[in-house]
Amino acid sequence: MKTTQILIAGFGGQGILFAGKFLAYKGLLEELQVSWLPSYGPEMRGGTANCNVILSDDPVGSPIITDPDVLIVMNLPSLQKYVDSVVSGGQIYVDSTLISEKVTREDVEVFYIPATQMANDAGVPTLANMVMMGHVLKNNPELTFDGTEATVSKLVPPIKAQLVELNMKALQAGRDYQG
Amino acid sequence: MAEKTERVLMKGNEAIAEAAIRAGCRHYFGYPITPQTEIAAYMAKKMPKTGGVFLQAESEIASINMVYGAAAAGMRVMTSSSSPGISLKSEGLSYIAGSDVPAFVVNVQRGGPGLGGIQPSQSDYFQATKGGGHGDYRMIVLAPASVQEMASLTVKGFNLADKYLMTTMILADGTIGQMMEPITFEDVQVEAYDKPWALTGTKGQRKHNIVNSLYLKSDELERKNFERYARYKVVEENEVLYEEYGMEDAEICVVAFGIAARVAKNAVAAARKEGVKAGLIRPITLWPFPKKVLRQAADQVKAFVSVELNMGQMIEDVRLATECRKPVSLCNRAGGMIPSPGQVLDSIREAQKGVC
C-alpha cells in the first residue's frame, strides 16, 4: 500500500464521522500511518458532514484532502460538490437509495450501493454507513475485509457490546452486495 | 516481535488533556469554546479520577484568574480556549507574567477578528508572540504540527513554565485540535522544580511569600522588568526548537508552522519532484523564534516563502531574522481557509522564477 486518501461525505447524523473512524482504526490496527480529520462546523448540525481519512505507509503530510483517491457519498450535494475532485483512476461509492443521479465521468470506477435500503432490510436502519464501508473494503484494492471485527470491537464501548454484531451485519451486507 | 508501545488514536485536543494529566497537572479551569471544547470535556471526565480539580468557570476572565491563583500556590495548572476567549484571558496573562508564576495555556485558534468563525486559523500569532496583554512580557509559544506534538509539547510546556517561571502557550489551530492521529505517551518526562516562592502557608516556619504584580516604586518595577528579561534571554539562548526538511541544498526556503507546515511539506516534496530545490523550516517555538537558523538560511537560499493561515504575521519575524537580505513572499489564506499544497507549490514556483 502507498497512500490512500479517502473522503466520506453526507448529511450530519448519517454516521459519516464514525465511518471515517472505522477506517482510521482499521489502518491503525494494520500498523499504518493514519489521519482522521472531521468537519466540525455549523454544517454538522443537519447540513453536510465530511471526513478526511488518510492511510499510508509513510508519515502523513497534510491531513487535508483536496484530491481524494476514494470518494464515499451519502447525499446528492456531496456527490455534486466532490465528484470532480476525485483523481483519475479513483473510486466513487454512491448510496443509490438516496442519490439517483449517475456519475458521468468515465475515468473513475463507480459503485452504486442501495445502502440505506439494505440497512433497512437488514434491520439495522442506522447503519447504512457501515453497509457502504463493507462494500468499500471489498472493492478497494488497497483495503481488506480482514480484521474488521477487531476494528469494530475497538470502536464500540464495552457497555454497548451488542452493537458489534449489528455493525458486522451491516458490513457483511455491504461486502456481499453484487452491484 | 518485541513489545511495542501501544499507539492510540486520539484527537489533538484530547492528546493535550491526557498529556497534561500525565505531566502532573491537577488543576484545570476553563470555559467552553469551539474548536477546543474536547480539552475541557476530557478533563471533566478524567481529572476527578486523578484527585484533581476540573472547574468550568463562569467566564474566561474568571478561569484565567483561577489559573493565576493556583499557579501562585505552586500547582501545575492550565486553561484552554480559542481566539476570542484568549483575548478575554489576556489581562490575566499579563498579571501572571508580572507575578512571575508558571502557567500553561492552550489556544486552539479559530478565524478572527471579533467573534470571527470557528474554522482553523493562525491569526493569533501576533497576540501570542508579541503580547496580547499589556506591559513588557513574553510567553514561550509552542506550535505543534501533529497530534503527537500536541502531547509532547504539552509535557514540555509544563516543564518550561516551571523552569523559567513563565506562561507557556500552545498555539494550535482547529485542524490539529480536531484531527485524530495515532500517538504514544512513551516520552513523557516530567521535570520537577522547587517552588520556594509558592504560597503554601508558612505553618509558622518561614517568612511569608508574596506573589504580586503591583510595584508602585518605579525603580523597583524597572528592576523587576530587567530581571525578567534576563531570564527571557536565557530562554532565547537555550530553548529554540525547529524542524528542517530538505534544507541541505535548498534554494527556496518555505517557512511555516503548525498545520500550514504540514501542507507546505507536501508542496516542498512536489516542488522537488519537478526539480525545484525547495526546503522547509518549521518553527516549533514561535517565541523564542528560530532566528539563527533563518539567518544562516539567508546565506544559502535565494528566497523565502512564508505560509500562514492569516494576513501575514510571522512573515515580519522572518524578515527580521533574515535582515531582509533575501526576498520574502507570503502565501496565505485567512478566515478559516487553508491553502492547498497546490497554492503553496505555485508560490514556490513564483519565488523560483523571481530570482532566476
Side-chain angles (χ1 to χ4, degrees), chain A residues 31-32 36 40 60-62, chain B residues 4 7 118 120 179-180 262:
Chain A
E31 302 283 321
L32 296 173
W36 173 91
Y40 63 89
V60 177
S62 170
Chain B
K4 279 181 139 178
R7 295 194 306 162
I118 60 172
M179 70 186 281
M180 290 202 301
R262 298 274 293 252

Side-chain angles (χ1 to χ4, degrees), chain A residues 23-168:
Chain A
L23 290 177
Y25 266 99
K26 196 156 185 312
L28 181 78
L29 294 180
E30 286 169 26
E31 302 283 321
L32 296 173
Q33 301 294 330
V34 310
S35 71
W36 173 91
L37 176 66
S39 58
Y40 63 89
E43 72 273 17
M44 291 282 294
R45 283 81 178 172
T48 57
N50 72 70
C51 178
N52 293 191
V53 177
I54 301 179
L55 307 175
S56 180
D57 289 329
D58 305 314
V60 177
S62 170
I64 304 150
I65 298 176
T66 43
D67 312 304
D69 302 301
V70 179
L71 172 67
I72 302 155
V73 283
M74 296 186 66
N75 68 6
L76 182 59
S78 298
L79 176 63
Q80 291 168 335
K81 185 172 177 187
Y82 297 115
V83 64
D84 292 332
S85 67
V86 178
V87 299
S88 191
Q91 291 185 325
I92 302 178
Y93 295 83
V94 178
D95 182 340
S96 57
T97 309
L98 303 175
I99 306 171
S100 50
E101 202 165 282
K102 300 288 176 203
V103 175
T104 53
R105 284 179 63 175
E106 286 178 356
D107 62 335
V108 291
E109 198 177 0
V110 188
F111 301 86
Y112 298 96
I113 313 105
T116 298
Q117 186 61 50
M118 288 169 63
N120 281 329
D121 294 347
V124 287
T126 57
L127 292 175
N129 58 340
M130 301 312 273
V131 174
M132 294 294 283
M133 289 303 112
H135 207 61
V136 173
L137 292 183
K138 180 187 155 202
N139 289 292
N140 189 281
E142 305 290 345
L143 304 174
T144 151
F145 202 85
D146 299 344
T148 298
E149 188 154 358
T151 307
V152 174
S153 305
K154 191 108 184 156
L155 272 175
V156 173
I159 196 167
K160 293 180 182 168
Q162 78 280 6
L163 291 179
V164 174
E165 200 188 319
L166 299 179
N167 274 280
M168 286 308 295

